Amino acid sequence: MRSLRDAFGQFATGVAVVTTVADGERAGVTVNSFTSVSLDPPLVLWCLSDRAPSAPLFLRAGRFAVNVLAAGQGELSRRFATPAPDKFAGVELLDHPLPMLTGALAGFACRTVSTFGGGDHHIFVGEVERYQRAGGDPLVFHSGRYRELARPAIVAG
């Protein structure tokens, strides 16, 4: 399994924190399985381990927010990737019914339209109901660690 995981890790990905709330209980997880699916209708997809303690909450909530992390937000990524009683303690949120993180490169508030079983994960498909976008560089994950985008060299001519 480790060898397969290492091979998958050769695909560089962005990093996102997916959040939700149901019955006043919040949950958030770090994922690199986020992707756009369709523009019409606007659909996104992400995956969550069946073993995640927050899986039941995400399945019953019916809504989620995807927060695409910016370079320098590695600590937020680690926070939401690690089990903790309150992952949101001290985290600044936007004024929105779903817990959306300030400082994210992009945020997508979504309604869950379907979930599927996929091996040891749940696959969530959501319709984007609201989104926001900011400028900046993304947080990138490759080969088991965070990376920065390389800047092109300026050649004098």
Side-chain angles (χ1 to χ4, degrees):
M1 276 300 177
R2 184 70 225 180
S3 177
L4 177 60
R5 186 178 180 135
D6 290 345
F8 283 151
Q10 294 308 300
F11 183 69
T13 66
V15 182
V17 170
V18 181
T19 58
T20 195
V21 63
D23 305 319
E25 183 181 358
R26 297 182 295 193
V29 295
T30 299
V31 303
N32 67 349
S33 60
F34 168 67
T35 190
S36 60
V37 174
S38 169
L39 288 174
D40 188 16
L43 300 175
V44 298
L45 173 150
W46 67 284
C47 303
L48 177 65
S49 171
D50 294 342
R51 296 184 317 259
S54 58
L57 185 67
F58 275 102
L59 287 166
R60 78 173 186 266
R63 299 189 118 54
F64 60 85
V66 178
N67 302 271
V68 178
L69 297 186
Q73 291 186 308
E75 180 53 40
L76 269 178
S77 173
R78 284 185 286 279
R79 172 189 287 255
F80 284 93
T82 306
D86 185 4
K87 295 179 182 185
F88 293 91
V91 174
E92 195 173 334
L93 301 174
L94 298 175
D95 183 23
H96 190 273
L98 285 166
M100 296 185 74
L101 309 177
T102 61
L105 282 186
F108 303 90
C110 303
R111 176 181 58 83
T112 304
V113 293
S114 51
T115 58
F116 306 91
D120 58 2
H121 279 65
H122 296 287
I123 302 166
F124 288 80
V125 177
E127 183 169 2
V128 177
E129 296 180 323
R130 179 178 163 198
Y131 66 94
Q132 60 85 19
R133 177 181 172 267
D137 289 334
L139 183 61
V140 177
F141 196 74
H142 174 261
S143 197
R145 60 184 234 214
Y146 299 113
R147 308 287 181 143
E148 292 188 23
L149 295 178
R151 298 281 173 224
I154 298 174
V155 178

